Amino acid sequence: MSHVSIVIGAQWGDEGKGKWIDILAKDAEYVARFQGGNNAGHTLYIDGKKIVLHQIPSGIFHEGQICALTAGVVINPEQMVSEIKEVTQFCEVTPKNLWLSARAHVITPWSIQLDQTNEKNTTTPIGTTKRGIGPTYSLKAQRSGLRMGNYIDTASRKQWIKRQIAESEEFKSFYNSHQDLWTQFEAAAEKVAPYVLDADAKLREAIQSEKRLLLEGAQGALLDIDHGTYPFVTSSSTAAGGALSSLGFSPKKIGNIYGVAKAYLTRVGEGPFPTELDDEDGKLLASKGHEFGATTGRPRRCGWLDIVALRYAVQVNGLDHLILNKFDILGGFKEVKLAVAYEHPTLGRIENFPWDIDTLNSCKPIYQSFEGWPEDIPISGSMSELPKQALTYIANIEELVGAKVSMVGTGVNRSDALYR
Ligand code: IMP
């Protein structure tokens, strides 16, 4: 029996993974983030207090656990320093319980600048979080990125900056005109240094010793650089497979794979969204679900649950368990819908998620409607306590996507959950 579990988002991010990672982390000894950077925002409520984590895994709140960021993550060091400070109000954060991979790449002021200007100057913006994520991964792929292990070493860091100045006039001019940003960036190195180590090797040792690990993804499967709605995606491997390459361990060691999906669907940023609603139902989902981005505050686009997309996510990630989150938001709707297929003007009925966004943009959802259920549903306990209309809705999802719904989210607190 394997002791390594993976949790990923099964939609376009913002599925509410933070809470579930927090719940599942209870049984883990190590919790590691495997991709993304501070583009993510995991909102948690600890004893009624709200906290938004951008980089540190949500497992940090469990005593005795070790949280790590593995090689495939990108790290904003200044933001890491302030996040550590914020989390310290709730629990201890030390190099004993927070490990940052020396291999992870660093988000520099230059990457943030590039992200902002790229988005401004293009005719087809992606709607990025402007946190410098894409340019940091680009530099990594170009073999000219800065890794955490080199960043915390003053000589290596200075050498990296020197090389960029020598190789790029744009970098040079940005560097010279924004000395304040670079001073702050360099000052953070000393503060994060105690947390930087070969976290990947230490986690592999833990796997070898059969310790319990939970590997957490950020964003969602439909934003995966390879399998998502390219180019309207993030720059890393958000799908479960990304955990393997980021930490570097044997696929044979993987046990349970959990996918978190909302009971409906949202998206922030640009890109296709066949079930997007531009009507009263869409507005109601947005207001009841408080659908604003945790990182950027942007309003999220809302729509009915897209079975074609979710089935694709189940397949791409090999999900063993589906967690249907924010189920309480659907209570009180007279009628709820599932998009069971798409209709395309020339291709006809489509049941498999298309690889290209032009096809996806021309798809209209084919809906199956379900009778709604009352606003009041049980908050905790067994899923079987749900009204029969809700159970019918869930049973249809399970059958259509080919995965079992093991847990249902009913509110923001740790205890607001129904189990099968
Ligand atoms: P980037 O990751 O900032 O480069 O943004 C690329 C795309 O991913 C944009 O559509 C963003 O809105 C989206 N994105 C990035 N992080 C998140 C997230 O945590 N939740 C939802 N969408 C995200």
Side-chain angles (χ1 to χ4, degrees), residues 12-15 17 39-42 115 126-135 218-220 223 231-235 267-270 295-296 298 300:
W12 278 297
D14 304 321
E15 299 90 353
K17 291 177 290 297
N39 47 348
H42 286 176
D115 200 3
I126 304 295
T128 74
T129 58
K130 302 200 178 95
R131 298 294 195 268
I133 308 298
Q219 290 85 46
L223 289 171
F232 298 99
V233 292
T234 191
S235 314
R267 175 164 205 170
V268 283
E270 305 302 319
T295 298
T296 58
R298 291 180 290 177
R300 297 176 183 144

Side-chain angles (χ1 to χ4, degrees), residues 96-306:
K96 281 209 178 100
N97 69 347
L98 181 65
W99 296 349
L100 307 179
S101 170
R103 292 181 181 83
H105 279 247
V106 180
I107 303 172
T108 70
W110 177 232
S111 293
I112 299 170
Q113 167 73 7
L114 283 177
D115 200 3
Q116 289 170 357
T117 47
N118 290 347
E119 280 288 281
K120 200 164 84 197
N121 297 339
T122 177
T123 50
T124 50
I126 304 295
T128 74
T129 58
K130 302 200 178 95
R131 298 294 195 268
I133 308 298
T136 305
Y137 279 112
S138 292
L139 281 178
K140 168 179 169 175
Q142 286 171 43
R143 276 61 51 85
S144 41
L146 176 64
R147 303 208 286 178
M148 283 300 275
N150 299 117
Y151 165 70
I152 58 165
D153 176 72
T154 310
S156 296
R157 184 177 68 242
K158 299 238 179 265
Q159 198 183 355
W160 181 85
I161 294 174
K162 214 165 135 190
R163 180 183 152 196
Q164 306 306 310
I165 290 173
E167 291 181 0
S168 156
E169 276 306 315
E170 286 89 1
F171 184 99
K172 188 174 162 186
S173 122
F174 176 73
Y175 181 79
N176 288 333
S177 54
H178 290 86
Q179 279 298 305
D180 50 333
L181 292 182
W182 290 96
T183 307
Q184 286 164 28
F185 171 72
E186 294 210 50
E190 212 177 297
K191 298 200 176 113
V192 294
Y195 301 90
V196 179
L197 73 170
D198 191 344
D200 313 296
K202 302 259 289 179
L203 290 174
R204 268 193 300 279
E205 272 169 33
I207 295 174
Q208 250 355 82
S209 331
E210 309 213 324
K211 302 281 187 207
R212 294 184 305 276
L213 268 76
L214 183 69
L215 306 181
E216 67 167 84
Q219 290 85 46
L222 301 178
L223 289 171
D224 185 276
I225 182 82
D226 292 303
H227 302 286
T229 46
Y230 190 88
F232 298 99
V233 292
T234 191
S235 314
S236 57
S237 299
T238 59
L244 284 166
S245 54
S246 176
L247 201 166
F249 71 107
S250 166
K252 292 178 191 155
K253 297 283 185 190
I254 294 177
N256 282 317
I257 307 181
Y258 298 85
V260 185
K262 274 177 190 158
Y264 49 99
L265 189 53
T266 64
R267 175 164 205 170
V268 283
E270 305 302 319
F273 182 176
T275 62
E276 182 169 11
L277 292 171
D278 187 19
D279 62 5
E280 288 310 308
D281 283 339
K283 283 189 199 140
L284 196 55
L285 287 173
S287 64
K288 283 186 79 180
H290 304 290
E291 295 298 351
F292 293 91
T295 298
T296 58
R298 291 180 290 177
R300 297 176 183 144
R301 302 151 67 192
C302 294
W304 295 119
L305 188 61
D306 183 338

